[in-house]
Amino acid sequence: MAKNIKVTIWNEFRHEKSNEAVMKLYPDGMHAVIAKFLTEAGGIDTCTATLDEPEHGLTEEVLNNTDVLIWWGHVAHGEVADEIVTRVQQRVLAGMGLIVLHSGHFSKIFKRMLGTNCSLLWREIAEKERLWNLEPGHPITEGIGDYIELPNAEMYGERFDIPTPDKLIFVSWFEGGEVFRSGCCWERGHGRIFYFRPGHETYPIFFNKDIQKVIANSVRWANPRIIKDTSPGVHIKVPLEDVQEKDIDFGTAGVEQN
Amino acid sequence: MAKNIKVTIWNEFRHEKSNEAVMKLYPDGMHAVIAKFLTEAGGIDTCTATLDEPEHGLTEEVLNNTDVLIWWGHVAHGEVADEIVTRVQQRVLAGMGLIVLHSGHFSKIFKRMLGTNCSLLWREIAEKERLWNLEPGHPITEGIGDYIELPNAEMYGERFDIPTPDKLIFVSWFEGGEVFRSGCCWERGHGRIFYFRPGHETYPIFFNKDIQKVIANSVRWANPRIIKDTSPGVHIKVPLEDVQEKDIDFGTAGVEQN
Amino acid sequence: MAKNIKVTIWNEFRHEKSNEAVMKLYPDGMHAVIAKFLTEAGGIDTCTATLDEPEHGLTEEVLNNTDVLIWWGHVAHGEVADEIVTRVQQRVLAGMGLIVLHSGHFSKIFKRMLGTNCSLLWREIAEKERLWNLEPGHPITEGIGDYIELPNAEMYGERFDIPTPDKLIFVSWFEGGEVFRSGCCWERGHGRIFYFRPGHETYPIFFNKDIQKVIANSVRWANPRIIKDTSPGVHIKVPLEDVQEKDIDFGTAGVEQN
Amino acid sequence: MAKNIKVTIWNEFRHEKSNEAVMKLYPDGMHAVIAKFLTEAGGIDTCTATLDEPEHGLTEEVLNNTDVLIWWGHVAHGEVADEIVTRVQQRVLAGMGLIVLHSGHFSKIFKRMLGTNCSLLWREIAEKERLWNLEPGHPITEGIGDYIELPNAEMYGERFDIPTPDKLIFVSWFEGGEVFRSGCCWERGHGRIFYFRPGHETYPIFFNKDIQKVIANSVRWANPRIIKDTSPGVHIKVPLEDVQEKDIDFGTAGVEQN
C-alpha cells in the first residue's frame, strides 16, 4: 500500500486574528480548513505551521518530515526570516513539493524559487472569476470540468512577472476585464512547484469543492519520488574513460599576449 | 543607424594576480581580452568592472548604462555583496541581458536568477571537449558549424542543477565520458540570460575564434528591447469593464464553520 | 544595409468573392490589405498567393524566394493539396517563417506543423476582445501597450488543442466570458511559427494599427537566419575519435533466449 | 486497486525474419521480449501488433483498448498506411500514451505527432554509449542511477530534428565523439509521448535491465488520465455572460477602402 503523503500547511495566520470578517470565516485559521479537506481527501497526513511559532514552525525536523509544503502569506512576508527561506528552498531543490496559494505570490520563498518579482495587477471588488482548464488530462485537473467559477474574487491581472511555466494549467477570466495565469507548474532541482491563484482571506474560497479538489490533486502531483541534496558540486578526479591528463595547447594565444 | 550595445564585462580578477599561468595568459585580466574581441566584433561599446572596485564596479549609474552584463567569477563568489546581487537582479528583470561564463555557474547572481543550486560534476585534466550545436538557426550560433572543438578543457558534467532552459543551444561531449548542457537560454522578467560553459582561466579559451563569436552573438541576442522595473504590483481600483463592487456570497461556508 | 524580408501572403480568397460584407471591406482581398501595411512598415517586400492559382500560387520557386509566409484560410482548408502542404512544411523546417492568422488554426499546414487538432470554442456576436500583452520585452510586442482592444471580434475560447507554446505572447479576454491563447510562438526545424488570433473577415481587424504592428513585428521575428534542409539523416561512417569497430558483447541475452 | 495498464507493442517484425543475427537474438520478435519484461514488471497487460497483420494489427477496437502504444520500426516505415497513422494520431491526441523506440524516430507516426523530420546522424560500429540521467526525480528514471552504460550501440548524433522536448530526460555520450538527446518527453492533445533512443536490433539492448526499467517506467508515466476526442471545434452560441450581439464598428476602415 502506498504511504500517506506528509503535508505541512504553512499559514501566516495574522488576518484571522485581526480582521473580523476573516475571523468569522476562518476562526481556527485558513490552515485548519485546508488541513481538514486534505485529510478528508484521503492518503494525506497533515500538520500545520505558522509565522509566530519558533522558526516559523519550519524546523529542520519538520521539513525533513514534509513531502509537500503549502504556503499562504500576505501582510507579513517581510517577517519571514531569510535563513528559513533558504532552508525551505534547499528542501524544495532536494525534492519536496511546494504549493503556493494566492497572495503567496509575493512571498520570499516563491520569489526565491523563481528568481523574479512575481508582481501583478490587482483589484478587490468581489467580482466574478472563471478559471479555464487548459489541461484536462493533467493530474492537477482530475475531476475538474471546463472551468471553475467563483462568484466573488479579488482580481489578479497580467503581466504576472514569472518565468514561463513548464505547464500552464488554468487561465482566469475576470468580470472587470483582465486575464491571469492562475495555475502554473514549475520544476526546480528535484522539486515540483505549483502556484494556484484562488485563496482570498475574506471570500469563502477554501470551502469551494473544486478549489479543494485542485489543491488535493496538486499535493499528489508534487509528492516527491526522490529526496537528494543538490547543493554540492562533485569532483570526479578519475575519468570514466581511459584518458590521461594532457599538456595544454596554447596555440597562438601566448603570441597575441606578447 | 542602430545604437551600439553597451556591454559591461565583470571579472572577479583574482586568478590573474595570484596564479602565474593565468597571469601569463591574461596579464590584463580576462575582462580585457573579452572587451577587446567584443569591440572588434563591431556595434558594441565595452567597459569593465571588477570585484575589488567600490561596489564591485557595479554602481547604479554603471548598471543604468549597461545593456548587457557579462559575468566571470570563481574563487570569490562569497565576497560579492548581497545588495549588489539584488541590484543586478533587478536590472536583469527590468530588461538588461546577462551572460554568465564558465565557473560563474556558482556565482550568487546566477543562482539568484535561476533559484537553483547550479551544481555539477567537474574534473581538470585538460581533456578534449566538443560542443555540439543543437540550434544552427538561433542567433547565438550564427557563423558556427556543427560543433566547436576545444583541445583542452576542464570537464563539467551532468546533472547540472538548473531549471529546464527555454532553449538548449549547445551540448558538450567530453573525452573522459561525460556530457553537459553548455549553452542555455532563459528569460526572466524582461531580461535574457545566457549561460556559456567554456572559459577556464588556465586554458586559452577566450582566444578561440568560435568562442569569441558565440559570446558576441549572445550579446546581440540579449540586447534589451525595453527597460522597465517589474517589482511593483499595480492596484487598478476602477475596472476596465462596467462592473460594480459586489456583495459576497458565502453560500454554506459560514454554516460549516459553526 | 540589411536586405528586405521577402514575405508571401497566402489567402484562401473566397469570402471576398462571395460575401457582400467581406467584399465591401476587402474588395481586393485581405491579402492586398496585409501586403499594403507590411510594405508601408518598411524593410519588407511582399507578394501574394491564393488558393485558386496553379499550385495555390506556392510553387517551388515562390517558396524558395520566401523568407516568411503568412497564411489566412477558412472555408476551403480541405481544398489545399497535400503535396503543397508538404512542400510548405519542408520549407518551414528548413528555416522559412510562418505566420498563421485567425481561422488558419484549422488549416492543414498549421495542424501539420504542430501535430495536434488545433480545435477550440467559437462564437460570433461581435463581442469585445482585449488581448493582454504578456511579454512586453519580446520583439513581437514592440510598440504595443498593456493590451490591444478590439470592439468587435469573433470569440475563440479554450481549450485550444495546441502543443504548449515555446512562448505565450498574448492572452485574450472576451466579453462573453472566455479566454484564449491569442499569440503563440513555436520553433520547428530551423523555422519560427507565430499564431495570431485576430483577423475575422467581416470585422475591420486588419485596419487596426496595433494588429498591423504585431503582424509586421512577427515577420521580422520569423525572418530566418539560415535555410537548410532538415530531412536527410547523415551517415558518419568514420568516428571523430579514434575508435575501432567492436565485437558485440551478448552477455546473457542469448542464454535467456534458449 | 488500480487497474492494469493495457499496452500494445507494435513491431515492424521484418528484421527478425530476414537477418540471421536478429533472428537468433529475437526469435519471436522484439515485441515478444518487450511484452515479457513488461508483464513481469507488474500492473501491465500486454498485447502485440505487427506490420503484416490486417490494418497492421491496429484496428479501431485494438486502439480503443490500448492505454499506451509502443512503436518499433525501421526498414518499412513507408509501408505503414496513412489512414492507420491518422487513427493512431487521433488516439494519442485523445489521451493514449505513445512510446517510440530507437529507429522509430523516422516512423510516420512520430513525424506526424511532432511535425518535424526527426533526422539525425548515425554510425554503426558497436561503440560504447552512456546515457546520462538529467532528471533523477522524474517518474521515468525511477530506479536508474547517474547513467546507463551500453557496451555496444549504434550511434545517433545531433542535430536531432525535433521540437524542443517538454522535458529532456537522458543525454547520450558516444565513444566516437557525439552526443544525443536520448530520452525526450512531449505532450500532444491529452496524450504523452516518450522517445527512447536505445533498441538496436542486432545488439541485446532489450535484455538490459536498466533499459527494461525505463520502458516500464515510461509506460506508467504515459498512462492516460482521460480519453477525449480533441478534433471537433465547439460552437457556443449563447455567451456565458449576459452579452448581446453587437453592431460592428467599422471606424475608418470603410473610408480607407473607398
Side-chain angles (χ1 to χ4, degrees), chain A residues 128 130 136-137 139 190 225 241, chain D residues 128 130 136-137 139 190 225 241:
Chain A
K128 192 193 294 182
R130 193 176 288 116
H190 305 312
R225 280 162 301 275
E241 299 299 306
Chain D
K128 192 193 294 182
R130 194 176 286 115
H190 305 312
R225 280 164 301 277
E241 300 298 307

Side-chain angles (χ1 to χ4, degrees), chain A residues 214-234:
Chain A
V214 169
I215 295 173
N217 287 343
S218 72
V219 161
R220 291 186 195 102
W221 169 81
N223 188 28
R225 280 162 301 275
I226 63 166
I227 294 285
K228 187 179 176 185
D229 183 6
T230 73
S231 61
V234 178

Side-chain angles (χ1 to χ4, degrees), chain D residues 31-150:
Chain D
H31 51 291
V33 172
I34 295 171
K36 186 165 177 282
F37 72 71
L38 286 180
T39 304
E40 291 170 2
I44 296 171
D45 293 334
T46 63
C47 68
T48 63
T50 55
L51 180 62
D52 294 329
E53 296 174 50
E55 304 183 42
H56 314 319
L58 298 172
T59 61
E60 289 279 3
E61 200 194 336
V62 165
L63 286 178
N64 288 344
N65 278 290
T66 300
D67 295 318
V68 180
L69 178 67
I70 295 181
W71 195 275
W72 198 103
H74 185 211
V75 288
H77 293 316
E79 294 181 42
V80 178
D82 286 340
E83 56 268 36
I84 303 298
V85 175
T86 299
R87 187 188 287 170
V88 173
Q89 176 185 22
Q90 286 305 321
R91 178 76 182 170
V92 174
L93 295 176
M96 181 179 73
L98 177 67
I99 315 295
V100 175
L101 298 172
H102 192 61
S103 44
H105 74 89
F106 259 157
S107 63
K108 285 185 180 180
I109 184 60
F110 191 55
K111 295 195 286 182
R112 183 77 73 83
M113 297 308 311
L114 298 186
T116 57
N117 282 316
C118 305
S119 52
L120 44 75
L121 298 184
W122 60 280
R123 177 177 58 231
E124 199 175 338
I125 56 167
E127 68 201 274
K128 192 193 294 182
E129 175 180 10
R130 194 176 286 115
L131 296 103
W132 286 91
N133 177 359
L134 266 56
E135 297 295 341
H138 195 279
I140 289 181
T141 58
E142 201 166 322
I144 300 297
D146 291 343
Y147 56 82
I148 300 172
E149 195 170 302
L150 298 173

Side-chain angles (χ1 to χ4, degrees), chain C residues 74-139:
Chain C
H74 184 212
V75 288
H77 293 316
E79 293 181 42
V80 178
D82 286 340
E83 57 268 35
I84 303 297
V85 175
T86 299
R87 186 188 288 169
V88 173
Q89 177 186 22
Q90 287 305 320
R91 178 78 182 169
V92 174
L93 295 175
M96 181 180 73
L98 177 67
I99 315 295
V100 176
L101 298 172
H102 192 61
S103 44
H105 74 89
F106 259 157
S107 64
K108 285 185 179 179
I109 185 60
F110 191 55
K111 296 195 287 182
R112 182 77 74 84
M113 297 309 311
L114 297 186
T116 57
N117 282 317
C118 306
S119 52
L120 44 76
L121 296 184
W122 58 281
R123 177 177 57 231
E124 198 175 338
I125 56 167
E127 68 200 273
K128 192 194 293 183
E129 175 180 11
R130 193 177 286 115
L131 296 104
W132 286 91
N133 177 0
L134 265 57
E135 298 295 341
H138 195 279

